[in-house]
Amino acid sequence: MQRSLFEYHPVLGYRFIPRLKTRVPHEGGGYLVQVNGSGFRCRHEVVREKPAGTTRILLFGDSHTAGDGVSNGKRFGDLLEELLPGNVEVLNFGLPGTGTDQQYLAYREFAAGVEHDLLLLVVQIENIQRVAARYRYYSDEQGKRVLYAKPYYELRDGRLTLHQVPPPPAPMDPAELPGGDGATVDQVARYPALSRLVRSVTRLEWAKRLLVSSGLKDRIQGVVKYQPVPHYSSPGNPAWQVLSAILREWIDGHPGPALLVPLPFYHYVIGLSDSRPYQARFRELAATLKCGYFDPLPELRAHTKEAIRRMYFENDGHPTAEGHAAIAATLSPAITATLARSAAEHGE
């Protein structure tokens, strides 16, 4: 993630530069980033009053929601405005590189008093690693890895406590981290062992193209049986306990309907990694919450393998425009059903 697109924020750590409009180089050919006055990639301004006759959705997530790799109008949040019935406005608060902790802070800072009909929480499965982290590496303007502190929560005696707000605005020297904090650095290497294996057999460009076209790369990764996010293995995992506590506080404190959506990345969708641990944790949590819940994985997996490969960029793993279209098509009926249940409960 390029920090040059962002500015410091004393609570979240950073946000997009407000009013930014720029084209970002990318393996997909580049994409257009347009930012509203609040510092989020959204074509709507964040105003308290909801337009008359409009269904407004507040959307939170990470780079998959913000849309790294695709231009604004091709993201699933924008596409939902076209797929859902009536006049729909989606306020996209997605922020790349963040965990659910920072997304919750974004809600508190920018959206808590905004009129809306639905809170849509899209938790990309990897976010749990960021919730467990206190520091994270990013890329600067020269492509160099730099380390920044981030806000984080701890769970003590059943209560969440917020730390490192405001986070230091300047990059940190890894050698000067407080004792023991090296273990709380998000290295942004999503599948380190898996990546090393695949790189070792795809060092030559012609071999890489052959592996991708033949499907051998996926088979190699499947043989590894690598679990990219082991934090979901047990209900007692400390990172899961913090993540679930954040979601519980967020949803319980929210005055209207909410829909919780765990969003898988490529390895789960294509079937190379075992999705059962994270699915179990989210099902268990959703059963205790007063909110809607939708797992998009079965519908995303229903696509052909060829289609799934087209749905994700080869190198950075984010959804392509085709991937965003698939996510939007999957979410649309779940959102419609959640809004209908809410209207029925309130006699509308």
Side-chain angles (χ1 to χ4, degrees), residues 15 23 27 56 89 147 154 203 208 221 242 336:
R15 60 175 177 174
R23 188 163 185 83
E27 65 182 272
R56 179 187 274 172
E89 179 182 271
L147 184 67
E154 282 188 324
R203 193 173 304 276
K208 180 177 180 180
Q221 293 173 336
V242 174
T336 299

Side-chain angles (χ1 to χ4, degrees), residues 85-292:
N87 186 21
V88 177
E89 179 182 271
V90 176
L91 296 185
N92 191 331
F93 292 91
L95 193 58
T98 61
T100 307
D101 46 6
Q102 289 161 290
Q103 296 156 26
Y104 179 35
L105 293 175
Y107 166 80
R108 290 169 49 179
E109 285 291 305
F110 293 96
V114 173
E115 293 179 354
H116 62 282
D117 300 279
L118 179 67
L119 173 64
L120 180 56
L121 302 181
V122 178
V123 184
Q124 204 270 104
I125 297 307
E126 192 187 29
N127 285 185
I128 192 170
Q129 298 181 161
R130 300 171 188 174
V131 167
R134 302 177 184 180
Y135 310 91
R136 191 172 194 270
Y137 279 102
Y138 299 89
S139 297
D140 63 13
E141 290 83 350
Q142 290 76 41
K144 179 183 176 182
R145 276 164 49 95
V146 288
L147 184 67
Y148 282 87
K150 62 175 285 290
Y152 68 93
Y153 283 96
E154 282 188 324
L155 191 61
R156 294 183 178 178
D157 300 323
R159 295 179 62 86
L160 287 168
T161 56
L162 180 62
H163 299 274
Q164 222 154 242
V165 174
M172 305 187 68
D173 182 349
E176 296 180 358
L177 291 181
D181 271 358
T184 60
V185 175
D186 184 1
Q187 301 288 345
V188 203
R190 189 175 292 161
Y191 327 112
L194 191 58
S195 298
R196 284 195 295 271
L197 172 64
V198 173
R199 281 199 301 271
S200 69
V201 296
T202 60
R203 193 173 304 276
L204 295 176
E205 187 60 32
W206 66 267
K208 180 177 180 180
R209 289 196 298 269
L210 177 61
L211 286 170
V212 172
S213 63
S214 66
L216 183 56
K217 178 179 176 181
D218 284 348
R219 290 197 290 273
I220 291 172
Q221 293 173 336
V223 169
V224 177
K225 300 296 184 185
Y226 186 68
Q227 180 53 264
V229 190
H231 307 72
Y232 295 105
S233 59
S234 165
N237 181 278
W240 169 249
Q241 289 187 335
V242 174
L243 174 58
S244 58
I246 292 170
L247 289 169
R248 185 181 306 280
E249 181 173 295
W250 193 346
I251 292 169
D252 286 348
H254 176 254
L259 179 61
L260 176 61
V261 178
L263 186 67
F265 46 81
Y266 172 80
H267 280 67
Y268 290 115
V269 179
I270 201 69
L272 298 176
S273 296
D274 186 0
S275 62
R276 290 173 296 178
Y278 90 73
Q279 288 179 304
R281 300 291 83 77
F282 277 97
R283 279 198 306 269
E284 293 160 0
L285 175 63
T288 69
L289 297 173
K290 293 182 179 180
C291 71

